[in-house]
Amino acid sequence: MIIEARGLTRSYAEICALKPLQLQVPEGEWLTVMGHSGSGKSTLLNLMGGLDRPSAGTIQVGGVDLASLDENGLARFRREWIGIIFQQHHLVPYLTALENVMMAQYFHSVTDEAEARAALERVGLGNRLRNRPGELSGGEQQRVCIARSIINSPRILLGDEPTGNLDHQNTRMVLELLRELRDQEKFTIVLVTHNSEVAAWGDRTIFMDDGVVVRDEPRGAPA
Amino acid sequence: MALAVKAMTLVLCWGGICLGLFRAFGGARRTVLSGTLAGFAGGAVLVVALAAAVPATALAATLRGVLAVGFLLLGGVAVTHLYRPAGATLDISGPAAVPPGRWPAVLTSAAAGLVTAAVGGGVLGALPLGPDRLLPGAITLAIGLTLPFLAVAGERRLPVALLLTGEALLALVVGLLLLLSSSSLGLDLFAPLSMKVMKLIHDFIHQFFESMLIPDHPFFRNDVWTYIGYLFSNSVGFWGGLALWLLPPLLLVLGLLRKPLPSVAHIRQGAQRRKLLASFLRARRWQLVVPWLTVLVLAGAVYRSTHPATEYWDPKPVPVSAGADGTVVLPVKDGERDLDDGRIHKFALRDGEQEARFLVVMKPDGRYAVALDACAICQPEGYGQAEGTVICYYCKTLIPLETVGQPGGCNPVPIRFTASEREIRVARQELVNAWVSTVQAGARVPGGKR
């Protein structure tokens, strides 16, 4: 198992966002997490990505207990293991698409423009390298995000509503891209979504409600 | 206060040298510890013995010679390092880059300890070792022998990635020794170096113009000398000296930057390749730390050299005038002034618009010396007195008190006089003539004299 959570709990003051949760994700799986707002989806994703620490229980990624890592260790873990795609893109507005991808390389190790260019060409943006985010459509910006998230060859790709702002056509394009990348690079994908059509692209879907996994289905949710 | 600053410098420098030795010979800590202790103790004994056997000036010259050899050795190593064998790549083997052989470790440590103790003894001025200096000497020795033990523990706290190659170790040791020696007027190497540079430029230009008969050229005679004079200024000597001073560690930096990194082309995955490349770059950055630190240390030595902690005795010239017979009479004892106290006493004789400054001093041999407060080479910025010497404020040359009153070099221009038990007599005309011929002759050249 690449991700293994045991009794994973996260509380914010008196609010328990995640109640003791057991979860196992095998390597290479595309797991979709569904549930209504406030059900604990993003909390779970943040814990998997080392962006947050559990209040109780353990979460192991690649055999390493994330709670045992200090801040530097967590930063190293995120750098080596995790790629994240957000709904809001979080691209640097005054950098070009190419520079946004190279910035991720810079924080990982050193920049390599040829490699960054190849990553953008791979997501179909070979002709938009020098455009800034404001000059790109929502779908194109999300593809820059994908290029940025895979440039450092992470083992796990986390997506927090990555298609939430996209129309049907762009949603499909992004999901096809993720599937293609997963098949080629053997990423493990954990995707949070409200959309059952998006969930249908995954290998397995868990449904969350009030911080608890209420259903675990082996295939994507029914459309 | 000045002694405390010097003692602190000794502690810092010896501590830094010990840290460098322990890091460079990481696999032979006990050997390094033995070497540093034996070397420091031996150096202390040696310098005390030498101080008893040879004059202080000879001892200072010997120590300066040792430091100069170290500096030249560093320069040679830096040049060799720059022209590395073809195909050699950056050494990223680990913190202990120097082979941890027993003999290299013990010899290097002992040599470093010996020279540091000797220079430290010279800097602190604890020589010759009289009864009043036994206690400070013993305390200094005790601290010097304790520091290696502290350095053993301190070295373990240094970043693991901080690599110290043989060249870097030499740079660190030489740099810290030069910083230490810059605390003493007699051991400082930078001031003589900048003066040599200034003299070299001066002699070269002078000889060049002489050979080209340019001084007689009608165009050059009046105007161009004004600009050429700037080449004779001590700031040219300072910057030229600084360039030579910082050259060895900068060559080490350049050599490291020129060394190719190990190849990463065999790794196919981009992220892994970049990660390995980043680790090589990081290793090189750590290797650059000590050479850059040496640059800073040497810059600190320059600062200490140009802003010495020593306070010079520099009395305000007392106005005097000649009597009807054209003689300036200086009573040996006049109120609080005592010409026999071994300190320089300055006087100013006004002659029309001219003011001739001169000094009187009783030398250690009990004889008086009377000389201009100027020399035949530099601009007349005058002299101060410290540590058994007088120093030319312009070129920072140290002149032993024993030689004041003798002509030549940067010595104050001697003046004939007669002395009795009660007074010293100097001819007014002799003073004025000497001042005019040595000072006014070069006054039209901004940087100095021709």
Side-chain angles (χ1 to χ4, degrees), chain B residues 18 21-22 25 28-37 105-106 109-110 148:
Chain B
C18 288
L21 288 166
F22 283 117
F25 297 103
R29 287 195 174 86
R30 284 190 176 184
T31 309
V32 172
L33 187 62
S34 311
T36 49
L37 293 174
V106 76
S109 312

Side-chain angles (χ1 to χ4, degrees), chain A residues 80 105 108-110 115 151-153, chain B residues 269-271 273-275 277-278 281:
Chain A
E80 306 288 333
Q105 291 179 320
H108 173 266
S109 48
V110 291
E115 195 188 327
I151 191 68
N152 293 324
S153 305
Chain B
Q269 196 199 48
R273 189 172 57 243
R274 281 188 282 110
K275 196 174 154 190
L277 182 62
L281 289 168

Side-chain angles (χ1 to χ4, degrees), chain B residues 151-164:
Chain B
V152 173
E155 186 267 336
R156 294 180 200 277
R157 294 177 185 273
L158 291 176
V160 178
L162 181 61
L163 186 74
L164 212 64

Side-chain angles (χ1 to χ4, degrees), chain B residues 116-147:
Chain B
T116 309
V119 174
V123 164
L124 292 177
L127 304 170
L129 196 62
D132 57 326
R133 293 178 177 177
L134 268 178
L135 184 61
I139 292 173
T140 308
L141 183 63
I143 292 173
L145 293 177
T146 308
L147 274 175

